[in-house]
Amino acid sequence: MSESLVVCDVAEDLVEKLRKFRFRKETHNAAIIMKIDKDKRLVVLDEELEGVSPDELKDELPERQPRYPFLSGCKPEQQMMYAGSKNKLVQTAELTKVFEIRNTEDLTEEWLREKLGFFH
């Protein structure tokens, strides 16, 4: 059995905050930004943002210091419904090619050509 290397632990208060964040009911975007406290060797909360766009989140991240950003903007039950229904839909429609996308900005003609090019 292999064990993964753990350099820093996660602060206890952050663990609870992340659990609540995962199951939040709000539908607007929110983010938690985490950083490492070198002295304590802990991953800690750096900043919480409500109603933030991906571009605004990007602007909040320091250029030369690493961070762990988590972004949420969809109710968990909706995510589970879509994920749990995908296979049935694919089978029912007898689809042979299925591509998943999570950001509408990624849906470009270039992206689609790249995906379809794999099948030629």
Side-chain angles (χ1 to χ4, degrees), residues 4 20 36 54 68 82 95 101-102:
S4 58
K20 287 179 181 177
I36 292 179
Y68 295 109
Y82 277 84
L95 301 175
I101 193 165
R102 295 193 179 246

PDB file of all heavy atoms in Angstrom, residues 4 20 36 54 68 82 95 101-102:
ATOM      1  N   SER A   4       0.503   8.669   0.278  1.00  0.00           N
ATOM      2  CA  SER A   4       0.883   9.904  -0.391  1.00  0.00           C
ATOM      3  C   SER A   4       1.606  10.803   0.607  1.00  0.00           C
ATOM      4  O   SER A   4       1.330  10.785   1.801  1.00  0.00           O
ATOM      5  CB  SER A   4      -0.345  10.612  -0.972  1.00  0.00           C
ATOM      6  OG  SER A   4      -1.265  10.890   0.046  1.00  0.00           O
ATOM      7  N   LYS A  20     -19.107  22.940   4.228  1.00  0.00           N
ATOM      8  CA  LYS A  20     -20.292  23.788   4.057  1.00  0.00           C
ATOM      9  C   LYS A  20     -20.335  24.385   2.652  1.00  0.00           C
ATOM     10  O   LYS A  20     -21.396  24.504   2.046  1.00  0.00           O
ATOM     11  CB  LYS A  20     -20.310  24.898   5.103  1.00  0.00           C
ATOM     12  CG  LYS A  20     -20.641  24.410   6.482  1.00  0.00           C
ATOM     13  CD  LYS A  20     -20.625  25.546   7.482  1.00  0.00           C
ATOM     14  CE  LYS A  20     -20.930  25.032   8.880  1.00  0.00           C
ATOM     15  NZ  LYS A  20     -20.857  26.089   9.895  1.00  0.00           N
ATOM     16  N   ILE A  36      -0.960  28.472   1.997  1.00  0.00           N
ATOM     17  CA  ILE A  36      -0.212  27.711   2.992  1.00  0.00           C
ATOM     18  C   ILE A  36       0.450  28.662   3.976  1.00  0.00           C
ATOM     19  O   ILE A  36       1.128  29.609   3.578  1.00  0.00           O
ATOM     20  CB  ILE A  36       0.835  26.802   2.326  1.00  0.00           C
ATOM     21  CG1 ILE A  36       0.120  25.704   1.541  1.00  0.00           C
ATOM     22  CG2 ILE A  36       1.786  26.216   3.360  1.00  0.00           C
ATOM     23  CD1 ILE A  36       1.033  24.759   0.812  1.00  0.00           C
ATOM     24  N   PRO A  54     -15.535  34.325 -12.686  1.00  0.00           N
ATOM     25  CA  PRO A  54     -14.210  33.726 -12.875  1.00  0.00           C
ATOM     26  C   PRO A  54     -13.124  34.769 -13.160  1.00  0.00           C
ATOM     27  O   PRO A  54     -12.004  34.650 -12.668  1.00  0.00           O
ATOM     28  CB  PRO A  54     -14.408  32.779 -14.059  1.00  0.00           C
ATOM     29  CG  PRO A  54     -15.846  32.396 -13.969  1.00  0.00           C
ATOM     30  CD  PRO A  54     -16.548  33.650 -13.505  1.00  0.00           C
ATOM     31  N   TYR A  68      -4.811  28.015  -3.640  1.00  0.00           N
ATOM     32  CA  TYR A  68      -5.793  26.999  -3.995  1.00  0.00           C
ATOM     33  C   TYR A  68      -7.148  27.681  -4.094  1.00  0.00           C
ATOM     34  O   TYR A  68      -7.764  27.974  -3.077  1.00  0.00           O
ATOM     35  CB  TYR A  68      -5.897  25.918  -2.910  1.00  0.00           C
ATOM     36  CG  TYR A  68      -4.660  25.089  -2.698  1.00  0.00           C
ATOM     37  CD1 TYR A  68      -3.913  25.244  -1.544  1.00  0.00           C
ATOM     38  CD2 TYR A  68      -4.260  24.137  -3.622  1.00  0.00           C
ATOM     39  CE1 TYR A  68      -2.791  24.465  -1.313  1.00  0.00           C
ATOM     40  CE2 TYR A  68      -3.136  23.361  -3.408  1.00  0.00           C
ATOM     41  CZ  TYR A  68      -2.407  23.527  -2.244  1.00  0.00           C
ATOM     42  OH  TYR A  68      -1.303  22.764  -2.017  1.00  0.00           O
ATOM     43  N   TYR A  82     -27.673  16.143 -13.134  1.00  0.00           N
ATOM     44  CA  TYR A  82     -27.101  16.110 -14.475  1.00  0.00           C
ATOM     45  C   TYR A  82     -26.096  14.975 -14.620  1.00  0.00           C
ATOM     46  O   TYR A  82     -26.120  14.218 -15.591  1.00  0.00           O
ATOM     47  CB  TYR A  82     -26.445  17.454 -14.831  1.00  0.00           C
ATOM     48  CG  TYR A  82     -27.438  18.462 -15.346  1.00  0.00           C
ATOM     49  CD1 TYR A  82     -28.181  19.247 -14.471  1.00  0.00           C
ATOM     50  CD2 TYR A  82     -27.662  18.603 -16.705  1.00  0.00           C
ATOM     51  CE1 TYR A  82     -29.110  20.166 -14.937  1.00  0.00           C
ATOM     52  CE2 TYR A  82     -28.586  19.521 -17.185  1.00  0.00           C
ATOM     53  CZ  TYR A  82     -29.309  20.297 -16.289  1.00  0.00           C
ATOM     54  OH  TYR A  82     -30.224  21.190 -16.765  1.00  0.00           O
ATOM     55  N   LEU A  95     -26.120   7.668 -28.541  1.00  0.00           N
ATOM     56  CA  LEU A  95     -25.048   8.572 -28.972  1.00  0.00           C
ATOM     57  C   LEU A  95     -23.726   7.829 -29.035  1.00  0.00           C
ATOM     58  O   LEU A  95     -23.452   6.940 -28.235  1.00  0.00           O
ATOM     59  CB  LEU A  95     -24.938   9.749 -28.000  1.00  0.00           C
ATOM     60  CG  LEU A  95     -26.189  10.607 -27.843  1.00  0.00           C
ATOM     61  CD1 LEU A  95     -25.976  11.650 -26.757  1.00  0.00           C
ATOM     62  CD2 LEU A  95     -26.537  11.264 -29.165  1.00  0.00           C
ATOM     63  N   ILE A 101     -18.477  19.755 -21.324  1.00  0.00           N
ATOM     64  CA  ILE A 101     -17.917  21.095 -21.196  1.00  0.00           C
ATOM     65  C   ILE A 101     -18.559  21.739 -19.971  1.00  0.00           C
ATOM     66  O   ILE A 101     -19.737  21.551 -19.714  1.00  0.00           O
ATOM     67  CB  ILE A 101     -18.140  21.925 -22.475  1.00  0.00           C
ATOM     68  CG1 ILE A 101     -17.303  23.175 -22.459  1.00  0.00           C
ATOM     69  CG2 ILE A 101     -19.582  22.233 -22.685  1.00  0.00           C
ATOM     70  CD1 ILE A 101     -17.205  23.840 -23.816  1.00  0.00           C
ATOM     71  N   ARG A 102     -17.782  22.455 -19.196  1.00  0.00           N
ATOM     72  CA  ARG A 102     -18.298  23.071 -17.978  1.00  0.00           C
ATOM     73  C   ARG A 102     -18.321  24.589 -18.046  1.00  0.00           C
ATOM     74  O   ARG A 102     -18.882  25.230 -17.194  1.00  0.00           O
ATOM     75  CB  ARG A 102     -17.477  22.626 -16.778  1.00  0.00           C
ATOM     76  CG  ARG A 102     -17.619  21.138 -16.532  1.00  0.00           C
ATOM     77  CD  ARG A 102     -17.088  20.760 -15.206  1.00  0.00           C
ATOM     78  NE  ARG A 102     -17.261  19.339 -15.012  1.00  0.00           N
ATOM     79  CZ  ARG A 102     -18.053  18.814 -14.107  1.00  0.00           C
ATOM     80  NH1 ARG A 102     -18.729  19.572 -13.314  1.00  0.00           N
ATOM     81  NH2 ARG A 102     -18.146  17.522 -13.979  1.00  0.00           N
TER      82      ARG A 102
END
